[in-house]
């Protein structure tokens, strides 16, 4: 029995309205973790306030059966309802397969949270599928242009097998890619005796299970972050593909000698920087800005206040911020919240930074990193840069030879939006959030590699690791 049957059949005897049933079906579309309000809003094409209203009505209808709901709020309430309904009523007829790997759930949800536009990319990819029996489709673009978000949106909507290469988490090697895709294909297509199969064999077996017009699309993000020995295709992607099998790939711009994707099937690249896509990119950027101004419950009121205090027309704000973004969504991800949070209260619209790198530099200067070089903030960032993987506060404090509380305060209070927190074997660890900020820090290092701070950081890392090994 699936959720549709459960909610509309005899078991769903709580007299839900059509709208409430639709909302619960969307909420439970993912078996293990229910969707949040933002995702429900996107799924149902309704506003977040409407989602909130519907969920309030649903909770009231179930409150008599599950009084525990009254002790929880938000996502916690949804999870409790999800769990209680499954325990009391719902009996699936077959094992439930997660739509995408658990390790990628958080990145997919984060990337689609404020997703806007990009329809021209999806349309071009769909045309490629229509025109070709199989093949590789690659989206190329600079850091921050939204490549990962495009993949996340496609995977979320189509429940495609996927893999996100993440350099700072060391999740970027061929053996990890193969292990993940193998597990996904075995679970999805029930492939017996395939635990040791290579990728071409897995694809052939999966393709044999496709019926009618069904196609297998495997989405792989950030080929530029792959770490492997020279030679052969990136991630050892096969030269040939079975019919009805496609790869949706993303990567940053590359030189011809770095392509590492030589195949005997149709290929197409969509470069987001190309002139033919300028207008599409601008439209999507403007849609994102309007979403922040008019819909985003977290920022819209504060953005409106900032705009109104300067007597700026909405159209002027959208146009100028779009121009300053240089078609970079990561710029908007930082600058719009910064405006809303009052970081630019002393500036006019024309004084906002131009482009992502200038934004990083202005923040760097604003934090006193150049006026007072060598402070703990700078040391902590360079430790993360040099280590290159997720590490805990304790390790950073040991390397910097300071109190752990001081390091945590710097990371949490001063640079939280630039860092990613993750649980590694039960320990809270930190990495650089995005490749564009990593590039910014690398440029700092490369411009003056002989600065004392770089030499000291590397010396302290070596001493710390030597001490730990001893």
């Amino acid at each position: 029995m699936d959720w549709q049957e459960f909610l509309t059949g005899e078991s769903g005897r709580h007299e839900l309205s059509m709208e409430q049933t639709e909302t619960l079906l969307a909420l439970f579309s993912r078996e293990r973790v229910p969707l949040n309000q933002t995702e429900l809003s996107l799924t149902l094409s309704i506003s977040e306030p409407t989602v909130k209203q519907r969920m309030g009505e649903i909770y009231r209808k179930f409150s008599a059966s599950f009084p525990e709901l009254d002790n929880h709020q938000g996502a916690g309430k949804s999870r409790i309802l999800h769990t209680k309904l499954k325990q009391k009523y719902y009996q699936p007829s077959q094992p439930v397969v997660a739509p995408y790997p658990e390790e990628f759930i958080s990145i997919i949800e984060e990337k689609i949270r404020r997703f806007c536009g990009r329809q021209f990319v999806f349309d071009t990819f769909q045309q490629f599928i229509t025109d070709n029996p199989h093949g590789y489709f690659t989206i190329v673009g600079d850091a921050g242009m939204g490549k990962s978000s495009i993949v996340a949106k496609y995977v979320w909507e189509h429940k495609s097998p996927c893999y996100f290469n993440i350099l700072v988490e060391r999740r970027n090697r061929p053996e990890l890619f193969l292990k993940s895709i193998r597990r996904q294909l075995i679970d999805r297509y029930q492939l017996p005796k395939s635990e040791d199969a290579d990728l071409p064999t897995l694809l052939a077996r999966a393709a044999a299970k496709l019926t009618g017009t069904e196609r297998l699309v495997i989405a792989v993000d950030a080929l530029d972050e792959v770490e492997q020995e020279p030679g052969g295709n990136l991630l050892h992607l096969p030269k040939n593909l079975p019919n009805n099998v496609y790869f949706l790939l993303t990567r940053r711009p590359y030189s011809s000698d770095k392509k590492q994707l030589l195949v005997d099937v149709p290929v197409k690249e969509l470069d987001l920087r190309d002139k033919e896509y300028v207008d599409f990119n601008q439209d999507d950027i403007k849609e994102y800005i309007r979403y922040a101004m008019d819909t985003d419950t977290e920022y819209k009121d504060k953005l409106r206040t900032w705009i109104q205090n300067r007597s700026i027309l909405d159209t002027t704000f959208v146009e100028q911020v779009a121009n300053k973004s240089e078609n970079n969504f990561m710029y908007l991800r930082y600058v719009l919240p910064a405006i809303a949070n009052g970081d630019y209260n002393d500036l006019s619209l024309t004084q906002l930074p131009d482009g992502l790198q200038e934004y990083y530099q202005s923040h760097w200067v604003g934090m006193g990193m150049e006026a007072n070089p060598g402070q703990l903030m700078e040391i902590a960032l360079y430790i993360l840069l040099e280590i290159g993987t997720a590490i805990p506060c304790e390790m950073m404090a040991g390397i910097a030879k300071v109190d752990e509380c001081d390091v945590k305060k710097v990371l949490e209070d001063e640079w939280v939006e630039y860092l990613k927190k993750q649980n590694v074997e039960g320990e809270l660890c930190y990495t650089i959030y995005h490749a564009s900020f990593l590039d910014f820090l690398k440029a700092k290092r490369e411009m003056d590699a002989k600065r004392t701070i770089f030499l000291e950081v590397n010396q302290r890392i070596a001493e710390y690791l030597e001490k730990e090994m001893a």
Side-chain angles (χ1 to χ4, degrees), residues 137-296:
F137 185 96
T138 304
I139 302 167
V140 178
D142 292 325
M145 292 192 77
K147 302 184 299 298
S148 298
S149 295
I150 292 170
V151 168
K153 181 68 171 176
Y154 187 89
V155 169
W156 184 69
E157 287 194 342
H158 297 273
K159 306 298 182 286
S160 299
C162 63
Y163 193 82
F164 290 80
N165 290 287
I166 306 174
L167 173 64
V168 294
E169 295 179 13
R170 289 291 188 263
R171 197 177 293 168
N172 61 339
R173 301 193 302 278
E175 64 271 18
L176 298 178
F177 162 74
L178 177 58
K179 180 180 178 181
S180 177
I181 293 298
R182 179 190 287 134
R183 186 73 266 153
Q184 293 177 65
L185 293 179
I186 288 175
D187 289 347
R188 183 179 298 258
Y189 296 106
Q190 302 299 304
L191 306 178
K193 300 179 181 179
S194 298
E195 287 74 12
D196 298 318
D198 59 18
L199 187 55
T201 301
L202 287 165
L203 295 177
R205 292 174 180 175
K209 297 271 188 168
L210 300 176
T211 59
T213 59
E214 188 180 4
R215 294 179 172 94
L216 168 59
V217 175
I218 298 177
V220 184
D221 184 48
L223 285 185
D224 50 278
E225 298 192 18
V226 172
E227 178 183 307
Q228 71 181 60
E229 296 295 323
N233 286 337
L234 289 168
L235 297 177
H236 306 307
L237 294 172
K239 293 182 64 176
N240 294 286
L241 297 173
N243 281 342
N244 300 316
V245 174
Y246 304 83
F247 276 84
L248 174 61
L249 311 171
T250 75
R251 66 189 301 171
R252 293 167 74 175
Y254 60 92
S255 57
S256 57
D257 61 314
K258 300 290 186 181
K259 183 175 183 177
Q260 284 188 262
L261 187 63
L262 302 176
V263 297
D264 296 330
V265 294
V267 297
K268 181 176 178 61
E269 284 192 356
L270 187 156
D271 193 326
L272 295 170
R273 303 167 302 163
D274 284 353
K275 290 182 179 180
E276 63 181 299
Y277 302 123
V278 168
D279 290 341
F280 291 122
N281 284 319
Q282 276 281 292
D283 289 344
D284 292 344
I285 286 286
K286 291 176 182 177
E287 183 181 345
Y288 187 103
I289 299 169
R290 284 190 290 267
Y291 174 87
M293 293 167 54
D294 301 330
T295 307
D296 194 317

Side-chain angles (χ1 to χ4, degrees), residues 57 69 81 120 193 195 197 219 331 338 349 390 439 441 445 454:
E57 295 169 351
L69 291 173
L81 179 60
F120 74 95
K193 300 179 181 179
E195 287 74 12
Y331 174 93
L349 180 58
D439 290 344
L441 292 178
R445 180 181 60 189
F454 294 118

